[in-house]
Amino acid sequence: MADTPQAGATSSIEDQIRLREQKADLLREKGVQPYGNGIVVPHTTGFVRIRHADDDAAQLEEDQSEPYGIAGRVVALRTMGKATFLSLRDRTGDLQVFVKKDKVGDQAYEVLKLTDLGDIVFARGRAMRTKTGELSIEATEYRLLTKALRPLPEKWHGLTDHETRYRQRYVDLSASLQVREIFLRRTELIAGIRRFLEDLDFVEVETPVLHKPEEAGGAAARPFATHHNALDLDLKLRIALELHLKRLIVGGLERVYEIGRVFRNEGIDRRHNPEFTMLEFYQAYATYEDLTALTETMVSRLATEVTGADEVTFQGVKIKFAPPWPRTSMLGEVAKLYGAAGTQPQQLDALARLSAGQWLAPVEDRQMREKFARLVSSGEKIAWAFEALVEPMLPKDRPIFVVDFPLEISPLARKRDSEPRLVDRFEAFAGGMEIANAFSELNDPRDQEARFRAQVEAAARGDQETMPWDRDYIRALEHGMPPAAGEGVGIDRLAMLFTDSPSIRDVVLFPLLKPEESH
RNA sequence: GGGAGCGUAGCUCAACUGGCAGAGCAAUGGACUCUUAAUCCAUAGGUUGAAGGUUCGAUUCCUUCCGCUCUCACCA
């Protein structure tokens, strides 16, 4: 075989792959294993960068410490005959490597000449500064560890096509340090949640993902169906963590949390992926009021830990997470809009007397108007009016707690002692998204039975997002669940807020896409 | 599921009113021992998402399909 690939080669992707395969063969002929293993990599680029951040060229020249050994992907390559600069990227970032033929030797330089953008390489050498001042490794040893057969995206614009970024996340992550940062922040967010809750004496648990049909409740959503062959058992993928975690509260664990994937068989959009990550935590002897304080403290601290500040810019709007967060009353705001004055019971009475025409009068949106026809209870109508008329007006520069939820849309929440048509519940909104939902837990087994009955009746009317009647959960409550409060937090949405990502797909490593074969 | 937009070389993008499908980066050959969007000379790279239609002629116009993005609905 010739020493170098021949001129006249073409550059379609197939040809580029073939050329790189030929280079791998040439490396083998030179005794270099293009997919070797077992190399010891003693340092990261970040280690070198930090250690020599303040050293000038003269100081580095006097440095007599052992040479550094780093490995990573070649993301830039500039050759000037017998000297080459390459940018090497490892998990900590990039560092320039300066390879001179007279320093590494002829054979290593031949290997270098067979190196392509995207290859994984190893370099050993002392730190130095180039004449323009860039910290670099001056290689005395150069090895190729992995031959890449496909080219990297264009160096200046990178990979911008969303579809390719999501389908080939490995390319996206290789090409973009910003994308890496997003996912590192997501990881830091989850670690921060664990630290925060562990400090409060919560224990992390794992509950089943595979639910029997009667267990697949805890939220208003349609589940995915699956099947266990050996038991010949139809199963659902969980839509929430709630009912199992509360069984653990019955069992006396008192403070539990789970961070886990849940699955909802519904539409996909900027805020929704069919599988997403929820934090749910339950605390015995706490009320939903306690959880407002916990939530604003936790989220504000997470914002600081993940982004460096408790003020975050999301899609051009600054959001201040520092406690206390403002509150708004779902009942109160709706009552105000419909002229229902007085105490909460009086407001509820007045709203219950409204005719369909009166409810619909202030709502212009056609689809919201159509949706009204499907509503049965007064509580559903209050939530509907809040969504149509109040939610769009919520402040954008702060998270906000919405309180005073009606009973009918809260089948697992405790009734308020002062007004049993309401429940002790809040939802937290930020950046136009619901980020948390919490309530004092319903622990009266007979009341819970009545709520399940209402769900089953709603299902009979055609509602597809009702909860099943979970008899074992009732049995658990019959054993006595201490008074408790619990909360669910959408991890993906916090990740969006803390990385200024417009789509959930930007914070999920491998979002669900339709198959690509059929393009 | 409804509506709007987009799909051209490995990547990022052009192509006027329907008239030979082009550039930069990447690639290939050559020069170059301090470059950093390296530079210089040369070369090559296309089923224009797919199928059909209109037309002398389609990247361009029409139909259907596929995928993505935005949006509405559902939801967290």
Side-chain angles (χ1 to χ4, degrees):
Chain A
M1 182 172 279
D3 283 336
T4 52
Q6 288 307 292
T10 57
S11 58
S12 68
I13 184 61
E14 294 81 10
D15 293 325
Q16 290 194 47
I17 289 171
R18 201 176 312 118
L19 271 162
R20 285 171 179 237
E21 286 170 337
Q22 287 170 11
K23 289 179 183 177
D25 288 338
L26 283 169
L27 288 163
R28 288 189 184 95
E29 287 174 19
K30 293 176 186 298
V32 176
Q33 166 54 271
Y35 299 99
N37 203 342
I39 183 81
V40 174
V41 181
H43 304 100
T44 64
T45 65
F47 179 84
V48 179
R49 275 196 308 277
I50 289 165
R51 174 175 263 200
H52 297 298
D54 302 320
D55 294 345
D56 63 25
Q59 288 169 307
L60 288 170
E61 212 157 317
E62 286 162 21
D63 182 18
Q64 288 305 305
S65 54
E66 285 298 299
Y68 301 104
I70 58 174
R73 193 181 293 277
V74 178
V75 293
L77 194 57
R78 296 175 290 277
T79 299
M80 279 137 299
K82 298 183 182 64
T84 294
F85 292 93
L86 51 87
S87 301
L88 191 151
R89 174 168 299 173
D90 69 7
R91 65 183 183 278
T92 65
D94 295 355
L95 188 65
Q96 180 167 270
V97 176
F98 186 22
V99 187
K100 289 193 283 189
K101 190 174 184 178
D102 58 9
K103 282 270 185 180
V104 294
D106 293 355
Q107 288 192 328
Y109 208 76
E110 288 302 306
V111 172
L112 174 73
K113 285 204 276 192
L114 290 169
T115 301
D116 288 299
L117 282 176
D119 289 356
I120 313 290
V121 304
F122 173 86
R124 194 189 307 278
R126 293 187 192 285
M128 48 95 66
R129 282 200 188 272
T130 64
K131 75 178 185 191
T132 54
E134 177 160 349
L135 184 66
S136 307
I137 294 293
E138 187 170 23
T140 52
E141 181 183 347
Y142 177 84
R143 300 173 63 175
L144 191 146
L145 304 181
T146 301
K147 189 74 199 159
L149 298 183
R150 292 179 180 270
L152 284 176
E154 198 241 7
K155 63 185 166 192
W156 192 241
H157 302 91
L159 190 60
T160 63
D161 178 69
H162 281 101
E163 182 177 355
T164 310
R165 288 187 46 221
Y166 300 150
R167 286 192 196 281
Q168 302 183 40
R169 189 67 92 181
Y170 37 87
V171 178
D172 195 27
L173 288 164
S174 294
S176 168
L177 294 175
Q178 290 74 28
V179 171
R180 289 184 181 195
E181 173 65 17
I182 285 172
F183 290 102
L184 293 175
R185 282 189 182 197
R186 182 184 170 117
T187 297
E188 179 55 33
L189 166 65
I190 292 171
I193 289 169
R194 289 204 164 97
R195 281 194 299 270
F196 184 88
L197 292 175
E198 301 287 341
D199 283 350
L200 292 176
D201 217 16
F202 282 81
V203 296
E204 184 171 14
V205 297
E206 292 178 282
T207 64
V209 173
L210 298 175
H211 280 187
K212 297 171 195 79
E214 68 272 19
E215 294 175 331
R222 301 170 67 180
F224 285 90
T226 186
H227 186 80
H228 186 270
N229 290 338
L231 296 179
D232 188 23
L233 188 62
D234 285 330
L235 294 168
K236 311 284 189 192
L237 301 185
R238 66 185 177 187
I239 59 172
L241 315 175
E242 174 149 2
L243 297 179
H244 281 98
L245 291 177
K246 286 196 284 197
R247 284 170 167 92
L248 300 178
I249 298 297
V250 172
L253 299 190
E254 293 189 349
R255 297 184 182 197
V256 297
Y257 74 98
E258 180 168 3
I259 295 170
R261 205 72 57 83
V262 299
F263 308 84
R264 298 190 181 175
N265 205 340
E266 285 160 355
I268 298 176
D269 66 24
R270 213 174 64 226
R271 297 180 192 82
H272 302 266
N273 195 55
E275 53 180 306
F276 63 103
T277 303
M278 285 260 292
L279 159 69
E280 288 195 26
F281 58 93
Y282 293 82
Q283 180 179 351
Y285 313 113
T287 68
Y288 84 113
E289 283 287 353
D290 298 324
L291 295 192
T292 58
L294 184 154
T295 301
E296 57 194 10
T297 304
M298 177 173 76
V299 173
S300 140
R301 184 179 304 176
L302 291 169
T304 305
E305 288 177 358
V306 173
T307 73
D310 65 1
E311 192 171 287
V312 168
T313 299
F314 180 67
Q315 301 300 291
V317 179
K318 258 191 191 158
I319 304 174
K320 300 183 195 74
F321 284 99
W325 297 354
R327 294 181 176 216
T328 187
S329 164
M330 180 182 286
L331 171 62
E333 293 301 312
V334 171
K336 205 183 300 172
L337 283 166
Y338 287 92
T343 63
Q344 288 188 334
Q346 289 167 332
Q347 291 174 348
L348 285 163
D349 289 338
L351 290 171
R353 285 192 297 267
L354 289 181
S355 68
Q358 286 171 311
W359 276 112
L360 285 165
V363 177
E364 287 171 14
D365 184 79
R366 187 179 55 81
Q367 274 158 328
M368 284 305 292
R369 291 175 68 91
E370 286 172 8
K371 197 171 155 183
F372 181 85
R374 301 201 294 272
L375 305 179
V376 178
S377 66
S378 176
E380 288 170 298
K381 290 169 188 168
I382 291 169
W384 167 86
F386 186 84
E387 185 188 340
L389 301 169
V390 183
E391 245 183 63
M393 316 288 283
L394 293 178
K396 305 264 186 290
D397 62 335
R398 303 231 58 198
I400 188 165
F401 290 119
V402 178
V403 297
D404 298 336
F405 277 69
L407 170 76
E408 295 92 333
I409 60 166
S410 311
L412 300 166
R414 186 177 190 280
K415 283 176 189 166
R416 182 163 302 169
D417 291 329
S418 63
E419 171 46 77
R421 286 173 288 179
L422 298 178
V423 292
D424 289 339
R425 173 180 177 185
F426 71 79
E427 283 186 355
F429 285 78
M433 299 182 289
E434 183 193 330
I435 58 168
N437 178 21
F439 36 85
S440 298
E441 301 299 339
L442 172 58
N443 64 344
D444 176 342
R446 297 298 167 248
D447 188 357
Q448 184 66 70
E449 270 184 323
R451 308 286 188 93
F452 279 151
R453 188 175 304 117
Q455 290 287 300
V456 170
E457 284 162 6
R461 289 195 302 268
D463 189 337
Q464 293 189 305
E465 291 172 350
T466 59
M467 287 180 206
W469 190 319
D470 187 338
R471 292 178 193 283
D472 177 70
Y473 179 65
I474 298 293
R475 181 166 64 187
L477 293 186
E478 287 170 350
H479 280 278
M481 180 169 81
E487 176 165 340
V489 178
I491 299 297
D492 310 86
R493 291 184 172 178
L494 284 185
M496 288 168 68
L497 288 170
F498 293 165
T499 58
D500 197 14
S501 295
S503 169
I504 192 169
R505 291 179 160 191
D506 296 318
V507 301
V508 172
L509 280 166
F510 299 101
L512 182 67
L513 300 178
K514 293 188 188 175
E516 64 179 324
E517 295 84 58
S518 48
H519 273 47

